[in-house]
Amino acid sequence: MTVPRYGTIGVVLWRTAGSVLAAASLVTAWRAAATVERVRRITPLAPADETGTAASVTVVVPARNEASRIGPCVAALRGQTGATLRLLVVDDDSTDGTEGVARRAAGADPRVRVVRGTGPPPGWNGKVAALQAGLDADAGGPAPEWLLFVDADTLLAPDVLVRLVATARRTGADLVSAAGTAPPGGSIAWPLLMPTGIVFIGEHADPDGRGRRAFAIGQCLLVRRTALERAGGWAALRDRRTEDVLLATRVRDSGGRTRLVDAGGLVTTTGLDPFRAGWGSFRKTLVAATGRSVPVLAGGGLGQMLLSLAPPAAVVLGMCRRRPWPVLTGGLGWVAAAVAHDRTGRLMRVHRAPAALAVLAPLAGAVFGAVLADGARVVLRGRAGWKGRDQ
């Protein structure tokens, strides 16, 4: 294929575009390599035969308008083996019958209590306030050593709790967390958004706490009670939105150890289903992480799209101009992005994204950039809240 000549200016523009795309492709390759390294350092869940001494755990589940999900979540927690637990469901001023479903579960199991919330106090984030309400309701009497915080859209396999405790004891960690992975038949949000989302979060937080921030995921987060108290408790994060990463960082900075755990698909969540919900969930997280900064969201979104699409664009441009450098750098970036997408997809058990689909990694990265840019839109329109709240 040949491209018509457009004079000196045209040649300069073509060469400039080629250089920009080649450089962006190298950046993409570097990011992908760093992702593969971070995934390698994620801690595996302790095997079932290493659970050892039974664990004593208080479980807190914050729930706002989760009537269709809280029942299965509580049932999975009630079915945990090898652990002595008490379970507190905090109904966060729901309007859809969440409290009734939770109370029926409590009526069938004395270990379950329902805490009725009336919304966050002034200056508090809604979810953090609900987490604190659960701890307040747990006051008095013998305090279990461990605290487990679970989102209402998350399901734990029967032995996950005791294996999380065993993992923490084996690694000397004071906080471990596991991401909720894709359920069977999960929406296209999983292969399209989740691998790039893990890459994006991992660039700002580390799975074993080495980086500027420690990586943690609030869907399933186990913390030693004394470590939480030493870090200032939830009150220290009362007005924050990325409370999971910030708590892990505070635990680490106060002398504790943190680990992100690969639970092997034994923790699943429906939080990204259907696709529209997955888009909104990621957008909410990104808006919170950027402090609702429109320039950061818009600029980050455009930058993410450029870096994601640069490798295939460089390959196409190089082939059109018959120049090897853009083809080589673009190919390197594309392959590296595909490998990183495959590794993170396997980590998240993305059932609809076999390795062959990793070739679409540039498209997935561009879609994630669009989520970032959409965050700028909702902030500008004053619609960046969640579940009917600003916080």
Side-chain angles (χ1 to χ4, degrees):
M1 181 182 296
T2 61
V3 178
R5 297 182 182 277
Y6 296 103
T8 303
I9 295 178
V11 171
V12 170
L13 289 176
W14 274 95
R15 289 179 177 175
T16 301
S19 299
V20 170
L21 292 174
S25 297
L26 292 176
V27 172
T28 296
W30 174 79
R31 292 176 71 196
T35 296
V36 172
E37 168 60 19
R38 280 189 292 269
V39 170
R40 186 188 66 80
R41 290 192 284 109
I42 294 175
T43 302
L45 187 69
D49 59 359
E50 288 187 13
T51 52
T53 307
S56 178
V57 185
T58 290
V59 183
V60 177
V61 181
R64 176 168 170 78
N65 294 337
E66 297 283 6
S68 63
R69 292 168 166 169
I70 190 63
C73 175
V74 171
L77 290 168
R78 289 172 56 196
Q80 291 301 300
T81 59
T84 302
L85 63 84
R86 50 197 191 197
L87 173 57
L88 297 141
V89 179
V90 182
D91 173 44
D92 186 14
D93 199 24
S94 298
T95 58
D96 70 341
T98 296
E99 181 182 10
V101 176
R103 290 199 181 281
R104 284 193 290 275
D109 191 331
R111 299 175 300 171
V112 182
R113 290 178 53 197
V114 178
V115 180
R116 173 63 178 170
T118 57
W124 281 72
N125 168 275
K127 181 179 179 180
V128 176
L131 294 169
Q132 183 61 50
L135 291 186
D136 291 342
D138 190 46
E145 177 186 8
W146 295 97
L147 299 163
L148 178 70
F149 302 98
V150 179
D151 284 354
D153 57 14
T154 302
L155 301 178
L156 274 61
D159 62 351
V160 166
L161 177 52
V162 70
R163 291 173 68 180
L164 283 172
V165 173
T167 304
R169 289 173 175 165
R170 184 184 65 184
T171 60
D174 299 284
L175 181 150
V176 296
S177 67
T181 53
S187 77
I188 196 174
W190 286 98
L192 205 55
L193 297 178
M194 182 56 79
T196 308
I198 293 295
V199 172
F200 191 86
I201 298 171
E203 288 180 329
H204 303 278
D206 193 85
D208 51 15
R210 299 181 190 177
R212 186 169 64 91
R213 289 182 175 175
F215 201 156
I217 297 180
Q219 294 165 336
C220 176
L221 189 153
L222 179 80
V223 60
R224 200 183 301 270
R225 186 183 295 267
T226 53
L228 178 63
E229 294 170 350
R230 192 167 59 243
W234 291 117
L237 304 171
R238 62 173 65 86
D239 59 345
R240 310 306 292 271
R241 295 179 177 85
T242 53
E243 72 287 335
D244 44 12
V245 168
L246 295 178
L247 176 64
T249 303
R250 290 184 69 91
V251 167
R252 181 203 63 189
D253 291 346
S254 59
R257 292 183 178 181
T258 69
R259 293 290 185 273
L260 182 65
V261 173
D262 177 5
L266 300 177
V267 178
T268 59
T269 179
T270 56
L272 298 189
D273 303 308
F275 176 77
R276 181 178 180 181
W279 182 287
S281 178
F282 267 111
R283 184 181 62 196
K284 172 204 68 169
T285 299
L286 294 169
V287 167
T290 58
R292 302 193 178 196
S293 170
V294 170
V296 173
L297 287 164
L302 292 174
Q304 174 68 29
M305 285 187 273
L306 170 63
L307 290 174
S308 299
L309 297 176
V315 170
V316 171
L317 181 62
M319 293 177 66
C320 289
R321 294 294 292 171
R322 297 181 180 178
R323 297 186 181 279
W325 176 242
V327 175
L328 291 174
T329 54
L332 174 64
W334 198 339
V335 169
V339 171
H341 188 280
D342 179 58
R343 295 293 177 84
T344 51
R346 290 175 184 272
L347 174 70
M348 302 309 298
R349 274 64 183 181
V350 177
H351 302 292
R352 296 172 66 177
L357 294 184
V359 71
L360 299 179
L363 173 62
V367 172
F368 193 83
V371 176
L372 265 166
D374 191 41
R377 179 188 66 85
V378 297
V379 171
L380 285 172
R381 298 185 65 180
R383 297 181 179 179
W386 185 248
K387 292 189 175 182
R389 283 188 185 147
D390 184 55
Q391 297 193 67

